[in-house]
Amino acid sequence: MGDSSTQYIHLIHHLIEECLLFNMSREECMEALSKHANILPVITSTVWKELEKENKEFFQAYNKKEGSTTRSNNSKESEIEITRQRVDKLLLDSSFPKDKNSN
């Protein structure tokens, strides 16, 4: 795998970790990264699944917690907005353009 591909995967990994901090589900994370970072949902899903394989115990606890957590719409919208801002900042700080096809 090329150096830029490795960096891109690490960026996605980091963005997924940000989503986890906000208790987002895989689907919510895929949607957020697709919308705000132009990352294809299949790529996010693939990286997420690899993280699950490498961290089985964490994700078992996380998924159990996620299933039992209920959040109000306002709280969830606020979390999504904060995540969007953090994704935007991470993308600005990275060497990758928001839209890889624009080069």
Side-chain angles (χ1 to χ4, degrees), residues 37 58 64 70 92 96 102:
F58 169 81
K64 187 175 184 178
T70 56
L92 286 173
F96 289 100
S102 65

Side-chain angles (χ1 to χ4, degrees), residues 19-71:
C19 291
L20 294 172
L21 291 174
F22 289 100
N23 299 314
M24 295 172 80
S25 68
R26 178 175 27 194
E27 291 75 22
E28 291 168 328
C29 183
M30 289 169 27
E31 182 180 333
L33 297 187
S34 175
K35 181 177 180 181
H36 301 293
N38 293 327
I39 297 172
L40 293 174
V42 68
I43 296 172
T44 301
S45 179
T46 301
V47 175
W48 184 294
K49 287 177 185 176
E50 287 302 312
L51 291 172
E52 284 181 322
K53 286 180 191 176
E54 294 172 9
N55 304 285
K56 288 181 184 179
E57 290 180 12
F58 169 81
F59 277 95
Q60 286 173 347
Y62 182 81
N63 291 332
K64 187 175 184 178
K65 177 184 168 198
E66 177 65 27
S68 66
T69 303
T70 56
R71 295 171 280 176

Side-chain angles (χ1 to χ4, degrees), residues 6-20:
T6 302
Q7 289 177 332
Y8 187 61
I9 297 300
H10 284 293
L11 172 66
I12 296 167
H13 177 154
H14 186 73
L15 293 172
I16 289 172
E17 288 176 348
E18 293 291 327
C19 291
L20 294 172

